[in-house]
Amino acid sequence: MVAKTLNDKILSLAEKVVSFTTQDVLILVDQAYSRQMVSQNLRELISDHRLFRTGSTRGARYSLPHKAHLLFPSFQKKFRNNGQDEMIVWEEFQSKLPQIDSLPIFARKILVYTFTEILNNALSHSQSSVIHVSVSLQENEIEVQIFDDGVGIFRNIMQKYSYTSEIESMQQLMKGKLTTDSENHSGEGVFFSSKAVDSFTVESYGYTLLV
């Protein structure tokens, strides 16, 4: 009965705030329960999927699962471009940012599609030795950044198709079905990704494409 009462208090607190700490619970119950008991109940609620936790030890924060994406987590990784599979990279980011699972299904689908498509583009076409990827879940948006130090997308297209400028490359790119590797790619990844998200930016050698 004591455990149920404490759980009710914890869940009531979770309903009122975005996130909370163990210390917040102790203050709420006015030290009526020990830190050990509070921690045990928090673990049980997490195990039952009624709470979500981010961080560890005294830096841990808890929230209801549907509020988990509001905890503003981020993860970044730099890796060598040596045949890496974009889905393996995505799965690592997903494991490091479990809040992704609490996003609406349409948002998750857009995220995995655009993440893997643009990363695949960098892996396949940039000729960069290193790729740097970061994902940040903020209060009202998800930001994904993929950097490389390669040949540059606009310049690469310009040289492949003998266009006169990077501007012409941008114009043709946004028509869709343009690729420098037609045997392996349809060329629609960048085009559809730019349409799927709220804000899409490509920067390369002083030129910026903003959709």
Side-chain angles (χ1 to χ4, degrees):
M1 181 62 69
V2 172
K4 183 176 186 300
T5 301
L6 178 54
N7 281 354
D8 288 342
K9 290 180 181 293
I10 292 173
L11 292 173
S12 177
L13 173 63
E15 289 284 357
K16 297 174 182 177
V17 299
V18 171
S19 67
F20 61 92
T21 65
T22 302
Q23 186 63 30
D24 292 330
V25 179
L26 291 171
I27 293 173
L28 175 70
V29 300
D30 196 22
Q31 308 293 331
Y33 302 91
S34 68
R35 177 177 288 272
Q36 182 178 3
M37 181 172 288
V38 169
S39 297
Q40 178 180 338
N41 281 61
L42 288 170
R43 285 195 296 271
E44 291 174 357
L45 289 169
I46 293 169
S47 179
D48 292 339
H49 305 290
R50 301 175 73 186
L51 281 182
F52 177 86
R53 181 182 69 189
T54 185
S56 57
T57 62
R58 295 198 176 225
R61 299 197 69 86
Y62 305 87
S63 73
L64 293 174
H66 70 272
K67 296 181 180 181
H69 63 286
L70 301 176
L71 296 181
F72 318 131
S74 63
F75 179 68
Q76 59 181 326
K77 181 176 182 178
K78 183 183 292 185
F79 57 90
R80 291 201 165 276
N81 184 8
N82 54 3
Q84 191 87 316
D85 185 278
E86 65 270 13
M87 283 306 302
I88 293 177
V89 178
W90 163 253
E91 288 168 2
E92 179 177 2
F93 271 76
Q94 192 172 29
S95 69
K96 298 294 185 180
L97 298 172
Q99 291 91 335
I100 289 172
D101 293 334
S102 73
L103 295 170
I105 187 169
F106 73 90
R108 294 201 304 272
K109 286 183 176 180
I110 291 173
L111 178 58
V112 65
Y113 174 78
T114 54
F115 181 102
T116 53
E117 283 292 336
I118 301 305
L119 179 56
N120 174 270
N121 188 280
L123 292 169
S124 301
H125 305 304
S126 71
Q127 302 176 36
S128 175
S129 59
V130 175
I131 308 290
H132 184 188
V133 183
S134 71
V135 174
S136 175
L137 302 180
Q138 302 176 41
E139 184 172 5
N140 295 310
E141 66 181 23
I142 305 167
E143 183 177 82
V144 179
Q145 297 188 46
I146 299 175
F147 302 95
D148 65 69
D149 58 0
V151 297
I153 181 171
F154 309 134
R155 189 171 298 179
N156 193 24
I157 292 172
M158 181 179 69
Q159 294 172 351
K160 173 72 175 182
Y161 290 94
S162 301
Y163 293 143
T164 58
S165 68
E166 283 92 338
I167 298 296
E168 187 177 1
S169 295
M170 292 184 198
Q171 293 170 338
Q172 297 300 323
L173 181 65
M174 294 316 298
K175 292 180 180 179
K177 297 186 178 181
L178 182 65
T179 177
T180 57
D181 185 8
S182 58
E183 292 185 4
N184 298 306
H185 301 279
S186 67
E188 297 177 335
V190 172
F191 176 78
F192 283 127
S193 294
S194 72
K195 302 301 183 184
V197 298
D198 293 316
S199 179
F200 180 87
T201 305
V202 180
E203 296 181 352
S204 177
Y205 288 100
Y207 290 88
T208 300
L209 172 64
L210 175 61
V211 182

